[in-house]
Amino acid sequence: MSGAVDTEVTAAIPPDLSALGETPAAIEARFAGLARRVETPCGDGVLVWRIWGEGPPLVLLHGGYGSWNHWIRNVLPLSRRRQVLAPDLPGMGESATPPDPEDADAMAAIVVEGLRRLLPKGAAVDLAGFSFGGVLGGRVALQLGPALRRFVMVGPNGLGLPLAPLAPMGSWRRLEDRAARMAVHRRTLEVMMFADPGRIDPLALHLQEFNAESGRVRSPEISKTDILRRSLPGLRGRLAAIWGGEDNVARGAIASRREVIHAADPGAPFHVIPGAGHWVSYEAAEAFNATLSDLLEPD
């Protein structure tokens, strides 16, 4: 991921990130270097985890065609009081492709087995899942059983609800020219991930390039089902949800998502962060971190 590319990105990298490096690659490497890197089995390869901090465990599951770095603006603030564990999900980032990349339960089992190896027996787990990580998180939460304390869904699909139509984004897959691919990655951030394209910064684009081009699991096909909705009634822990108020994926239908979640847990907190898009944990990091931290306070 080297070489200068004109991508029409004008926003500055947020100060909480730019203080840790002079380039996007250096910033990402700095965050990774502050973590413990641990491997657990994933088919014939490994599931790669990064762990920050000490305290009660908080597991963060990233979105589709993503990696741990979807949480790059969250892991350090959250790790001040928690042990934060963020895997690259099976078939994404640095983790191996799972034996069956279309079986959500099998992928969830790989994550749960990793947690059983990494955490003390009987440890209570808080779980947060963004987008596809929320969809897969429902199956992870089911398999955790009584170990689950709270499951926080961050803008997931998988609820059996219609998806808002999105503007065309194009495909980078057959483009040999990196500048052309980067234009597609920027368009994806603009159409799907951010509410305000003026907030797209060089680090966000750098992460999108790596994540999109590393993904080997067709996560959107799983997210189009109602698998998360079917998971919710069987969960042993409490539910909560966070949505960006300008999330294009749920445009005009956030209320229907609240109804589905409240049907499973009528008392579930449901927070909408104004002015933020789908990638709310990045675009509105300060508000997101405060909201998630409040949700994870002991009942």
Side-chain angles (χ1 to χ4, degrees), residues 90 92 98 100-108 131-137 139 157-160 163 217-230:
M92 301 184 207
D100 188 346
E102 297 182 359
D103 187 332
D105 285 311
M107 285 190 282
S131 196
F132 175 70
V135 178
L136 188 67
R139 309 313 284 181
N157 288 317
L159 296 171
L163 305 181
V217 170
R218 296 181 58 129
S219 55
E221 298 307 310
I222 297 173
S223 294
K224 289 175 183 176
T225 72
D226 66 345
I227 190 170
L228 175 57
R229 186 174 193 159
R230 289 186 280 111

Side-chain angles (χ1 to χ4, degrees), residues 1 28 67 69 93-94 206-215:
M1 292 188 289
E28 183 185 20
S67 70
N69 64 40
E94 295 182 29
H206 166 87
L207 301 179
Q208 179 67 22
E209 178 191 20
F210 170 76
N211 289 336
E213 298 189 16
S214 299

Side-chain angles (χ1 to χ4, degrees), residues 187-260:
R187 178 65 174 162
T188 300
L189 291 175
E190 177 182 329
V191 169
M192 178 178 285
M193 301 291 269
F194 278 72
D196 181 357
R199 296 184 186 133
I200 298 172
D201 64 73
L203 177 62
L205 185 60
H206 166 87
L207 301 179
Q208 179 67 22
E209 178 191 20
F210 170 76
N211 289 336
E213 298 189 16
S214 299
R216 285 146 282 130
V217 170
R218 296 181 58 129
S219 55
E221 298 307 310
I222 297 173
S223 294
K224 289 175 183 176
T225 72
D226 66 345
I227 190 170
L228 175 57
R229 186 174 193 159
R230 289 186 280 111
S231 303
L232 299 180
L235 300 189
R236 302 284 291 273
R238 296 301 306 277
L239 303 180
I242 303 173
W243 248 269
E246 304 300 323
D247 185 343
N248 273 339
V249 178
R251 186 172 60 255
I254 291 178
S256 63
R257 281 140 174 86
R258 181 188 290 110
E259 290 172 4
V260 170

Side-chain angles (χ1 to χ4, degrees), residues 58 71 126-130 134 148 150-154 238-242 288 292 295-296:
L58 168 61
W71 304 101
D126 285 319
L127 177 68
F130 163 55
L148 178 71
R150 188 178 293 277
F151 174 38
V152 182
M153 293 159 277
V154 183
R238 296 301 306 277
L239 303 180
I242 303 173
F288 176 86
L292 181 58
L295 287 172
L296 298 176

Side-chain angles (χ1 to χ4, degrees), residues 90-134:
M92 301 184 207
E94 295 182 29
S95 290
T97 302
D100 188 346
E102 297 182 359
D103 187 332
D105 285 311
M107 285 190 282
I110 291 170
V111 175
V112 172
E113 174 59 23
L115 289 172
R116 288 178 176 146
R117 290 171 180 252
L118 296 174
L119 297 177
K121 185 176 181 179
V125 175
D126 285 319
L127 177 68
F130 163 55
S131 196
F132 175 70

Side-chain angles (χ1 to χ4, degrees), residues 27 75 83 112 127 156 168 171 188 192 225 251 271 279 293:
I27 294 168
V75 292
Q83 181 185 52
V112 172
L127 177 68
S171 174
T188 300
M192 178 178 285
T225 72
R251 186 172 60 255
H271 292 272
W279 195 5
S293 295

